[in-house]
Amino acid sequence: MKAREATTPARAFDRAYINGQFVTPHGTQIVDLVNPADNKVIGKVTMADEIDTQKAIGAAKEAFNTFSQSSKEYRMELLQRLHDAVAKRMDQLVEATVVEYGAPQDRARGSNNLAANIFLHFKKVLEDFDLVKTVGTSKVVMEPVGVVGIFTPWNSSAGSIAIKVAPAIAAGCTVVIKPSEMSAMQTEVLLDAFHEAGLPPGVINVVTGLGEVVGTELTQSPDIQKIAFTGSTQIGKLVAKNSLDTMKRLTLELGGKSPNIILDDADLSTAIPLAINACYLNNGQACIAASRLIVPEDRLDEVKRLAKAAVEKIKVGDPRDKDVTLGPLASTKQYNRVQEYITSGIEEGAELVIGGEGHPQGLEGGNFIKPTVFANVTREMRIAKEEIFGPVLSILTYKTEAEAIEIANDTEFGLIAYISSADPERATRVARKLAAGRVLINTLSHDPFAPFGGFKQSGMGREGGVFGLQEYLEPKAIIG
């Protein structure tokens, strides 16, 4: 069986979706799609180019003329169809996420179920939303912003696409999606779902290509009125700069270095395992990862003991094994990046509680990382300041509640924060003082109707719920 698998030819991913049709890209550049569990090539992905992108933009622009005038009821029907088509392919989508990204199976299924349900969430939001309001003595009409260029990352492909496509459809916008070339298998499943949903031609267009090619065309085109981007802060800034000349509306969901404050009244036996999960979710490759654990100085020894015990229970390995809870990083580039941070932590004098450099024993063939915890981390260390995007936790200590808040806010990011406490009122009071778009208290749960987005350099704008819908609408005041 293994011999046959080794000789299986790499699958070709050579379709774009433009104007309601599957087309062969005009672009000719091909990149490898690699299984991160063994670094074997499993696909060859043909990159779309400027001509493909221009065709997609043209189709979206033409479709907008009609789709922008469609009724709320019709758009609600389309959102239902999109949900049904994606949900129907859930097993395929999960398999693709496991194989090409390395997500553990439970994580892959959970994240993709959430992606499918996003369309239902926005169906409900649209149903309850007044597109025409009376303000003062005037009529205010909420109109679709226009053609939307969508950029999505490799660490949450379907979810990042759905959280942008759903409000765009709800608002009456048309879209051109640039998914990651590292997510070609997941994109293929979504393409089939979008096609089956039967939206009017040109409403959804998908071109997989490199950022410097497809991304540049989307950000500079005068026919794109809005950019919705999820990715690194560095690339997000470049997207924003390129969009400035045409005054595009922007929703940017960027990086994070999220703090997790353990207040001195917290039950550590519950809070510390929760903290490990909050840092290592999605193989640690999450903008919301709680990578800075801020604990009372006089309880550090207990925290270290509990953290080490929690990490020792984690099973690292091939995500096709249903018992695995931590899979490989998405690429060798990402593996090397995280290794550099682990080395940096050691060289700067942080205490290595568990984990460290190199592969876990027996997993040398893939991009597997030893789940790592550092203690006695100071604010000046790179591991405390920079987004690592891997399963590396930094423990910092505080003497007073005020100092804990100060440490939490001592970052250029502000996406999400976490608090553990036995006193909900106290935790809420602390939450109000944190510079973050979301604060989770004693939980890792998600509210799809609550806004998601960041303060400071974690981005601008919001996704999810009514706040997410409003990002795709322009208010027009009619006075007379």
Side-chain angles (χ1 to χ4, degrees), residues 11-15 31-36 42-47 92-93 95-103 112 151-161 177-191 194 206-210 230 282 285 330-331:
R11 180 179 167 191
F13 295 93
D14 54 2
R15 297 192 301 173
V31 301
D32 289 340
L33 183 67
V34 176
N35 182 338
I42 55 175
K44 298 286 185 177
V45 188
T46 302
M47 298 289 95
Q92 293 173 259
L93 200 51
E95 175 69 11
T97 308
V98 170
V99 171
E100 74 177 353
Y101 172 68
N112 284 309
F151 295 68
T152 59
W154 43 261
N155 68 313
S156 179
S157 184
S160 293
I161 289 173
I177 306 167
K178 190 205 90 63
S180 170
E181 64 276 10
M182 294 168 61
S183 305
M185 292 179 70
Q186 296 167 78
T187 299
E188 191 87 348
V189 177
L190 290 179
L191 286 183
F194 292 160
V206 183
V207 282
T208 297
L210 299 178
T230 296
N282 205 28
Q285 297 170 137
S331 66

Side-chain angles (χ1 to χ4, degrees), residues 114-231:
L114 177 61
N117 289 334
I118 285 170
F119 296 104
L120 296 184
H121 298 151
F122 275 99
K123 178 184 177 185
K124 176 61 176 172
V125 170
L126 180 58
E127 181 181 16
D128 297 338
F129 189 83
D130 292 328
L131 292 167
V132 180
K133 309 170 188 282
T134 299
V135 179
T137 59
S138 305
K139 178 186 291 186
V140 176
V141 181
M142 304 299 291
E143 296 190 349
V145 67
V147 179
V148 181
I150 292 174
F151 295 68
T152 59
W154 43 261
N155 68 313
S156 179
S157 184
S160 293
I161 289 173
I163 198 65
K164 297 167 178 58
V165 170
I169 299 302
C173 298
T174 58
V175 302
V176 179
I177 306 167
K178 190 205 90 63
S180 170
E181 64 276 10
M182 294 168 61
S183 305
M185 292 179 70
Q186 296 167 78
T187 299
E188 191 87 348
V189 177
L190 290 179
L191 286 183
D192 290 335
F194 292 160
H195 187 67
E196 183 183 281
L199 279 70
V203 171
I204 295 179
N205 306 272
V206 183
V207 282
T208 297
L210 299 178
E212 57 266 31
V213 180
V214 173
T216 298
E217 192 67 35
L218 289 173
T219 56
Q220 294 182 350
S221 171
D223 293 325
I224 297 285
Q225 280 74 47
K226 174 180 174 63
I227 294 291
F229 172 92
T230 296

